């Protein structure tokens, strides 16, 4: 992390973290994905994770992936990005410093699958907005998209429109284009183990996968520590108790306080 990262993140809205996870963790994550029950219905559960595909074409997607197996727990505060997400989304220097994990998703996409374009700085919700003021980053959501397989041309790379997190205008073709055809958009090619760090305010999506085989990614979304889960998932108490103190606090900054306790 340094001045150049800050400059490029502010300019483009994303950074690429090469070799973010080592071969051992990558193999263990892929072994978990191999073991996902592929016949699971939408809404069905695998351990603490639920199948919740974003759309009919986005692929097989397990939400609460963090609870889908021990290797996913290692991603919560992974040293390759933990300081970066705290720096960009953690309300640095304020009285509520720190990050919270809002969503965790494991996504498996086959030929024909894609994720439509969304976000962009124009009228973005505060929850996901890009912010920099008084010398401090104030992003509402910063995502880590970790590639578990190589993602090159035809593999359905994530598409970003660099700089669009600060757009004053909506992209006139975003609603009618496939991600890969959008003027101003660029594919982000990743090797397995690389991660894309980006503000959710960036106009982005996933290009159509044309190649055979699977595109596998894990997405962890971080926000300021006072945020709460988009879908209202809560964690199993016993499972939470088995995590390190730091990981538990990133997933659930405050335990619930019930009347009379
Ligand atoms: O699937 C992708 O590459 C993009 C994912 C995405 O757009 C998102 O998670 O917000």
């Amino acid at each position: 992390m340094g001045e150049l990262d800050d400059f490029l993140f502010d300019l483009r809205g994303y950074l690429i973290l090469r070799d973010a996870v080592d071969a051992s963790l990558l193999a263990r994550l892929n072994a978990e994905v191999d073991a996902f029950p592929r016949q699971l219905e939408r809404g069905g559960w695998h351990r603490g994770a639920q199948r919740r595909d974003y759309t009919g074409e986005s692929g097989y997607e397990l939400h609460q992936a963090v609870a889908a197996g021990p290797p996913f727990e290692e991603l919560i505060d992974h040293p390759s990005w933990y300081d970066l997400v705290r720096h960009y989304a953690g309300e640095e220097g304020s009285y509520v410093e720190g990050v919270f994990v809002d969503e965790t998703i494991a996504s498996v996409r086959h030929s024909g699958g894609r994720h439509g374009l969304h976000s962009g700085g124009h009228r973005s919700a505060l929850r996901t907005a890009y912010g920099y003021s008084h010398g401090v980053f104030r992003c509402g959501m910063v995502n880590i998209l970790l590639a578990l397989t190589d993602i090159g041309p035809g593999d359905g790379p994530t598409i970003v429109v660099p700089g669009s997190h600060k757009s004053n205008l909506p992209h006139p073709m975003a609603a009618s284009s496939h991600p890969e055809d959008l003027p101003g958009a660029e594919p982000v090619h990743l090797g397995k183990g690389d991660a894309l760090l980006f503000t959710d305010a960036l106009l982005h999506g996933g290009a159509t996968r044309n190649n055979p085989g699977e595109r596998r990614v894990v997405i962890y979304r971080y926000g300021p520590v006072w945020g709460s889960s988009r879908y209202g998932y809560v964690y199993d108490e016993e499972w939470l108790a088995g995590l390190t103190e730091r990981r538990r606090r990133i997933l659930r900054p405050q335990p619930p306080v019930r009347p009379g306790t």
Side-chain angles (χ1 to χ4, degrees):
M1 182 164 77
E3 282 178 31
L4 182 61
D5 289 325
D6 285 355
F7 177 79
L8 293 176
F9 178 70
D10 177 65
L11 179 72
R12 300 174 179 160
Y14 69 93
L15 296 174
I16 296 177
L17 313 179
R18 296 284 177 205
D19 297 319
V21 299
D22 63 23
S24 157
L25 180 53
L26 186 64
R28 286 180 288 119
L29 287 163
N30 268 312
E32 293 291 343
V33 177
D34 289 341
F36 285 171
R38 298 304 174 96
Q39 301 313 315
L40 194 67
E41 298 287 315
R42 282 170 92 167
W45 291 80
H46 169 58
R47 302 187 180 138
Q50 184 179 35
R51 183 161 179 196
R52 185 180 202 128
D53 308 353
Y54 278 117
T55 67
E57 44 182 28
S58 59
Y60 180 104
E61 291 176 316
L62 279 188
H63 278 244
Q64 289 290 83
V66 68
F72 293 100
E73 296 166 18
E74 294 178 45
L75 304 181
I76 300 170
D77 54 352
H78 194 283
S80 289
W81 57 76
Y82 182 54
D83 286 345
L84 287 167
V85 295
R86 280 173 62 89
H87 182 51
Y88 296 132
E91 296 268 29
E92 219 171 31
S94 79
Y95 77 102
V96 279
E97 217 168 359
V99 283
F100 158 75
V101 163
D102 184 325
E103 287 180 55
T104 59
I105 305 125
S107 165
V108 180
R109 193 165 295 159
H110 294 101
S111 201
R114 69 170 75 86
H115 191 131
L117 289 158
H118 53 283
S119 300
H122 178 252
R123 295 187 188 164
S124 71
L126 261 184
R127 179 169 174 273
T128 53
Y130 173 79
Y132 184 89
S133 60
H134 305 285
V136 184
F137 286 94
R138 290 271 189 256
C139 294
M141 184 179 284
V142 170
N143 302 324
I144 295 291
L145 184 147
L146 174 67
L148 302 188
T149 51
D150 288 332
I151 305 177
D155 290 331
T158 301
I159 298 287
V160 297
V161 178
S164 57
H165 55 306
K166 297 198 251 187
S167 290
N168 291 311
L169 303 173
H171 194 304
M173 295 166 70
S176 57
S177 296
H178 285 323
E180 56 273 32
D181 301 329
L182 190 73
E186 292 178 9
V188 180
H189 295 138
L190 300 172
K192 56 187 173 205
D194 294 346
L196 170 66
L197 178 157
F198 63 107
T199 159
D200 198 73
L202 202 60
L203 178 54
H204 66 282
T208 307
R209 183 177 175 94
N210 299 314
N211 295 339
E214 291 184 348
R215 186 198 87 145
R216 297 176 170 191
V217 303
V218 180
I219 302 167
Y220 276 37
R221 306 191 193 282
Y222 296 83
V225 73
W226 44 262
S228 76
S229 154
R230 177 179 180 189
Y231 294 118
Y233 286 114
V234 291
Y235 297 98
D236 178 69
E237 290 294 333
E238 208 174 307
W239 178 78
L240 270 181
L243 297 180
T244 63
E245 164 82 6
R246 185 165 83 173
R247 290 178 184 171
R248 187 164 53 248
R249 287 179 70 89
I250 299 172
L251 297 184
R252 189 181 66 179
Q254 292 286 357
V257 179
R258 302 190 197 285
T261 61

